[in-house]
Amino acid sequence: QVQVVESGGGSVQPGASLRLSCSASGNIFSIYYMGWYHQIPGGQREEVATITSRGTPNVIASKKGRFTISKDDGRPTIYLQMNSLKPEDTGVYYCRLEEVGPHPGDYWGQGTQVTVSS
């Protein structure tokens, strides 16, 4: 069984920074994507950034320049560095691991709350 666990959320003022962490454990196929998704109450879960198992990152256009995704070499552990936070960044951030293979699994963490408010 694969487990995905996030950490690092919190309450900050506009302009501050936060770093989210996510680690996956269990029987994970060698090729996968991991990513961060943002959800506000009543809204859909939306992709923020993804990274391949080889470390190739992608951040959505609206977050480029403020958000950076990174990954530990050889491990299913990723980070989301969020700088110059804005109130609209508030929400729950979920980590996801999608396997690529003959029997791909799709696993989500429990989410971590980020609140940006003055």
Side-chain angles (χ1 to χ4, degrees), residues 6-107:
E6 308 99 331
S7 62
S11 295
V12 297
Q13 292 189 336
S17 297
L18 278 176
R19 189 190 195 210
L20 306 183
S21 301
C22 171
S23 289
S25 60
N27 189 16
I28 301 169
F29 192 68
S30 60
I31 304 172
Y32 54 83
Y33 292 87
M34 291 185 75
W36 292 100
Y37 294 74
H38 174 233
Q39 187 172 25
I40 60 174
Q44 292 189 334
R45 206 169 288 187
E46 298 181 341
E47 179 183 310
V48 174
T50 60
I51 192 163
T52 69
S53 48
R54 291 192 173 188
T56 301
N58 182 63
V59 178
I60 61 171
S62 62
K63 304 295 186 185
K64 280 186 178 177
R66 294 197 300 122
F67 288 17
T68 304
I69 188 170
S70 60
K71 179 183 175 297
D72 283 351
D73 285 342
R75 295 174 56 192
T77 297
I78 65 170
Y79 308 93
L80 185 67
Q81 179 67 43
M82 305 186 292
N83 298 328
S84 302
L85 282 161
K86 303 176 181 181
E88 53 263 42
D89 296 321
T90 294
V92 180
Y93 285 76
Y94 293 90
C95 180
R96 181 184 189 184
L97 184 146
E98 297 178 82
E99 295 175 311
V100 178
H103 303 289
D106 189 357
Y107 308 96

